[in-house]
């Protein structure tokens, strides 16, 4: 069997670079471009790819070995036909085939390392060992004709996508940003986070005005002008989308409106109003997001809506059923309730807002049970029948009712990643059964030159996670050492009251056997909370019982979403209870309830009387 020497390609101005990891073992089968070893320069980690396919016969370097251009790394037993191909592609063979005055061909560019100790076969990449990419990586020439080639293509212009595009442009890359919506911002800005928060603000104003009647200030019943309300909501969205358009223009990011899908590992076809074009790319960041999940038994009826339809506010139904008691469903329920709609919520699990601790959800549940028509927990919808007089819904479970008639049904049972909607298989991108694409901590997929970020790479499906991932992908694409290593990611429900949590939850600690102790402060003892007429909330922090470091925390009450960031920062910085308690917080504020919770844990709290446990 012929042996093929695999050498270090041109590393630019670097030499005597140490080997920091071996990615294959003797006997391993490798393909062309399979990462073999990881090198560490002073600017980047670099994977040396295989120049041929075959079986590893001999590895000639170890960790710590210093190599330069031309250094022999290993030898391969050539696969059928590979020896001849390798010989034909060697520098000597190439020089022999060239005319005498031809310039020598450049050496293949290396790709930066994932920083992992093993490399799975290309057919089965894992999140921890996906193939790398960098600004120096040039994808192989497309096997099909393209209209043009671009340096970096970003597929999707949601919070993660536009952040990636802008960051990459700031780092000097030439960027094309593809977006299916007429405006930038994706689902979040156009039909998600931003318009929903505008409507939730309107709902808050209505509710706060009504609540002041008990304190001597009486307003008349609100007169709802849906046309003006929709216009205001759209205006908020428009200001932000126009701002993104200007930011793209200032950074010279080319924006193409259309739907993109892979047709080859380095080719995307884009179909839009201006026609179809086929772009080859050197690198690509997939930020294609997710779609609302749909129940298979639902009728095709305009009265069955998802969150996008709910935000359009075409009309106000008399009776609305929200299927799904998670964050999205409960936020929209708050809006419609404030606008005078009779709202019911059905949730399959036994608590609202699955994922957070039950105690955080209870104040919200107590408030909305007093306002909504029905809160059905441990109950599922088994059928929806479209009738002239409404939608008849059949329930099953502990809280099941007899079939009920509703004017509209809002389906908010989660979101599905778009991994299967972008032609991922044509690019060689593995997509799991749920539609997710695996990535490593540098947001690299198993295909060299292709990154993925946001909803499409896994939970939590949150805009603030996607933006951080987008920056990492852009920086790695530009050749920087960057990793997504967030310890925690906060979650917020902008309901009334708001619910927010970050890090370890009590339920998770119990399930995993993690020791923790709690410090808690009820907002009934907060002057700021009492002055707002909202004393149902509380703050809690979870601490390591030995080190006293913050492990997690949660809040329920007005502005909880603004307050949770302090807890997230404390966890990221490794703060302990004393760090928080001894930090002077302004008074009277809701933020000081975080300090009071730390003091409750420390036993130094004076704003409540907390008897010390008796000894013995």
């Amino acid at each position: 069997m012929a042996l093929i020497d695999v050498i270090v390609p041109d590393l630019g101005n670097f030499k005597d670079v140490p080997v920091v990891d071996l990615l294959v073992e003797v006997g391993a089968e490798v393909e062309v471009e399979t990462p073999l070893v990881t090198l560490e320069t002073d600017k980047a980690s670099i994977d040396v790819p295989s120049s041929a396919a075959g079986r590893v016969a001999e590895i000639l370097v170890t960790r710590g070995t210093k190599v330069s251009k031309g250094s022999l790394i290993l030898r391969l037993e050539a696969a059928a036909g590979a020896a001849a191909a390798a010989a034909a592609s060697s520098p000597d063979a190439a020089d022999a085939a060239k005319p005498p005055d031809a310039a020598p061909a450049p050496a293949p560019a290396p790709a930066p390392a994932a920083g992992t100790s093993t490399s799975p076969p290309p057919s089965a990449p894992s999140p921890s060992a996906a193939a790398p990419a960098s600004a120096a990586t040039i994808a192989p020439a497309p096997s099909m004709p393209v209209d043009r080639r671009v340096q970096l293509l970003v597929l999707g212009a949601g919070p993660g996508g536009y952040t990636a595009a802008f960051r990459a442009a700031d780092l000097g890359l030439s960027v094309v940003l593809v977006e299916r919506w007429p405006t930038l911002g994706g689902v979040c800005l156009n039909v998600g986070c931003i318009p929903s928060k505008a409507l939730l603000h309107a709902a808050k104003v209505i509710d706060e005005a009504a609540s002041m009647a008990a304190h001597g200030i009486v307003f008349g019943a609100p007169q709802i002008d849906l046309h003006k309300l929709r216009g205001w909501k759209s205006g908020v969205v428009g200001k932000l989308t126009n701002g993104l358009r200007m930011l793209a223009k200032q950074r010279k990011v080319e924006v193409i409106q259309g739907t993109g899908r892979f047709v080859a590992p380095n080719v995307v076809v884009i179909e839009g109003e201006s026609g179809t074009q086929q772009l080859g790319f050197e690198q690509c960041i997939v930020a294609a997001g997710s779609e609302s999940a749909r129940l298979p038994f639902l009728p095709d009826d305009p009265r069955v809506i998802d969150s996008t339809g709910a935000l359009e506010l075409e009309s106000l139904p008399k009776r609305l059923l929200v299927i799904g008691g998670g964050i999205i469903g409960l936020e929209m329920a708050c809006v419609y309730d404030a606008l005078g709609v009779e709202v019911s919520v059905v949730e399959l699990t036994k608590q609202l807002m699955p994922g957070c601790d039950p105690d955080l959800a209870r104040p919200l549940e107590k408030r909305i049970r007093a306002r909504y028509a029905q809160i059905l927990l441990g109950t599922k919808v088994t059928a929806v029948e479209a009738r002239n007089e409404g939608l008849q819904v059949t329930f099953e479970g502990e809280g099941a009712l007899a079939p009920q008639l509703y004017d509209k049904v809002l389906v908010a049972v989660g979101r599905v990643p778009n991994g299967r909607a972008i032609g991922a298989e044509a690019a060689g991108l593995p997509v799991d059964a749920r539609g997710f694409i695996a990535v490593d901590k540098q947001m690299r997929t198993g295909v060299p030159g292709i990154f993925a970020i946001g909803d499409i790479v896994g939970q939590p499906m949150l805009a603030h996670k996607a933006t951080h991932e987008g920056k990492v992908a852009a920086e790695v694409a530009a050749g920087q050492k960057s990793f997504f290593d967030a310890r925690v990611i906060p979650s917020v429900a902008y309901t009334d009251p708001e619910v927010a949590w970050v890090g370890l939850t009590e339920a998770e600690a119990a399930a995993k056997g993690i020791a923790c102790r709690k410090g808690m402060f009820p907002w009934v003892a907060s002057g700021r909370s009492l002055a707002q007429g909202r004393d149902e909330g509380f703050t809690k922090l979870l601490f390591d019982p030995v080190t006293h470091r913050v492990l997690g925390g949660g809040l329920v009450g007005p502005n909880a979403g603004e307050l949770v960031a302090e807890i997230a920062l404390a966890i990221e910085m490794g703060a302990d209870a004393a760090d928080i308690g001894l930090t002077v917080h302004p008074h009277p504020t809701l933020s000081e309830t975080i300090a009071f919770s730390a003091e409750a844990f420390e036993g130094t709290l004076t704003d409540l009387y907390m008897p010390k446990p008796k000894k013995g």
Side-chain angles (χ1 to χ4, degrees):
M1 178 70 70
L3 294 180
I4 299 174
D5 288 348
V6 179
I7 63 174
V8 176
D10 189 356
L11 297 177
N13 295 323
F14 302 110
K15 63 178 181 178
D16 295 329
V17 178
V19 175
V20 296
D21 213 344
L22 303 178
L23 305 179
V24 293
E25 298 176 349
V26 172
E29 296 285 348
V30 300
E31 303 291 336
V32 177
E33 300 298 329
T34 296
L36 302 176
V37 299
T38 301
L39 312 181
E40 185 79 21
T41 75
D42 60 351
K43 291 187 177 179
S45 296
I46 299 174
D47 275 1
V48 175
S50 179
S51 56
R55 181 189 301 273
V56 178
E58 183 181 10
I59 298 176
L60 302 172
V61 295
T62 61
R63 291 180 179 85
T65 301
K66 291 187 177 182
V67 297
S68 302
K69 176 185 175 182
S71 297
L72 183 61
I73 298 174
L74 53 76
R75 291 190 173 96
L76 295 176
E77 294 178 357
S89 62
S90 69
D92 292 340
D95 289 341
K98 291 183 300 187
D101 57 347
T116 54
S117 59
T118 59
S119 180
S123 59
S126 71
S128 62
S134 78
T137 302
I138 305 298
S143 57
M144 59 179 66
V146 296
D147 296 308
R148 59 191 171 105
R149 285 181 60 76
V150 301
Q151 188 176 27
L152 176 65
L153 186 146
V154 180
L155 190 59
Y162 73 70
T163 298
F166 294 171
R167 180 63 178 140
D170 289 346
L171 292 171
L173 299 184
S174 176
V175 182
V176 171
L177 179 58
V178 179
E179 173 55 51
R180 57 178 173 161
W181 292 87
T183 54
L184 301 183
V187 168
C188 176
L189 202 156
N190 287 279
V191 292
C193 313
I194 304 305
S196 67
K197 301 314 168 282
L199 294 180
L200 282 162
H201 175 69
K204 180 180 179 181
V205 170
I206 293 172
D207 287 342
E208 287 186 342
S211 68
M212 288 305 295
H215 310 300
I217 301 177
V218 180
F219 297 89
Q223 302 297 312
I224 309 297
D225 185 330
L226 282 182
H227 177 72
K228 284 187 176 181
L229 185 57
R230 285 196 302 267
W232 173 68
K233 174 205 68 175
S234 299
V236 172
V237 172
K239 288 179 181 179
L240 292 171
T241 56
N242 288 336
L244 290 178
R245 178 176 56 82
M246 290 301 300
L247 289 173
K249 185 176 181 180
Q250 290 167 339
R251 288 178 162 89
K252 295 181 173 55
V253 171
E254 180 185 351
V255 177
I256 300 176
Q257 183 191 347
T259 301
R261 73 177 191 281
F262 291 98
V263 291
N266 59 344
V267 180
V268 166
V269 63
I270 303 167
E271 298 177 348
E273 293 183 359
S274 58
T276 300
Q277 56 181 310
Q278 209 153 260
L279 300 184
F281 59 81
E282 295 175 8
Q283 297 188 91
C284 177
I285 298 175
V286 180
S290 62
E291 297 290 336
S292 296
R294 183 175 175 85
L295 298 174
F297 56 80
L298 294 174
D300 185 11
D301 189 290
R303 295 169 294 183
V304 177
I305 58 177
D306 58 13
S307 58
T308 299
L311 289 167
E312 290 175 358
L313 278 184
E314 291 182 350
S315 63
L316 294 178
K318 182 179 179 182
R319 301 186 71 198
L320 171 71
L321 175 67
V322 178
I323 302 178
I327 291 177
I328 294 175
L330 292 175
E331 287 183 353
M332 295 315 304
C334 282
V335 170
Y336 276 80
D337 169 66
L339 295 176
V341 175
E342 181 183 296
V343 176
S344 295
V345 176
V346 56
E347 165 58 38
L348 182 62
T349 67
K350 293 185 178 181
Q351 80 161 68
L352 292 175
M353 217 171 295
C356 76
D357 279 331
D359 60 343
L360 290 174
R362 285 190 198 109
L364 170 65
E365 181 179 347
K366 180 179 179 180
R367 177 176 169 81
I368 63 178
R369 277 194 182 277
R371 298 173 62 98
Y372 295 3
Q374 297 284 346
I375 302 292
L376 307 175
L377 302 179
T379 306
K380 69 176 180 177
V381 173
T382 58
V384 177
E385 180 184 351
R387 297 185 175 185
N388 292 335
E389 64 273 24
L391 297 165
Q392 181 168 290
V393 180
T394 303
F395 302 95
E396 178 183 290
E398 295 178 6
L401 302 173
Q404 300 287 306
L405 203 64
Y406 299 92
D407 300 300
K408 282 189 178 181
V409 171
L410 166 59
V411 182
V413 293
R415 298 189 64 83
V416 178
N418 285 327
R420 300 192 179 282
I422 58 172
E425 65 283 351
L429 286 173
V431 179
D432 71 15
R434 296 172 296 170
F436 292 115
I437 295 174
V439 293
D440 64 12
K441 288 188 176 183
Q442 292 189 300
M443 312 317 299
R444 295 177 299 183
T445 69
V447 178
I450 300 182
F451 303 78
I453 63 172
D455 289 2
I456 209 165
V457 304
Q459 299 286 0
M461 292 184 175
L462 298 171
H464 42 280
K465 175 182 79 90
T467 59
H468 283 262
E469 291 174 338
K471 286 185 178 180
V472 169
E475 289 163 0
V476 176
Q480 294 190 358
K481 293 182 181 180
S482 186
F483 297 84
F484 182 71
D485 61 354
R487 289 186 179 182
V488 292
I489 300 170
S491 295
V492 181
Y494 298 90
T495 47
D496 187 13
E498 290 185 7
V499 181
W501 66 98
V502 64
L504 185 72
T505 65
E506 289 189 84
E508 182 183 6
K512 295 181 178 180
I514 299 174
C516 66
R517 286 175 51 202
K518 178 170 62 176
M520 185 171 175
F521 188 82
W523 287 15
V524 71
S526 163
R528 180 65 171 170
S529 180
L530 291 172
Q532 291 179 311
R534 298 297 296 272
D535 61 1
E536 73 270 39
F538 65 86
T539 300
K540 70 174 181 179
L541 299 176
L542 301 181
F543 298 94
D544 184 299
V546 177
T547 67
H548 292 192
R549 286 190 173 184
V550 187
L551 301 177
L555 314 96
V556 54
N559 299 316
E562 308 291 341
L563 301 170
V564 73
E566 180 180 344
I567 305 175
L569 179 61
I571 298 171
E572 289 286 353
M573 299 299 292
D576 61 21
D579 292 326
I580 298 174
L582 294 176
T583 298
V584 179
H585 289 66
H587 173 79
T589 62
L590 297 175
S591 68
E592 63 187 341
T593 66
I594 298 175
F596 293 157
S597 296
E599 290 179 352
F601 169 79
E602 290 271 276
T604 61
L605 180 64
T606 57
D607 286 66
L608 286 176
Y609 176 62
M610 304 181 68
K612 294 183 179 180
K614 295 181 180 180
K615 295 182 179 181

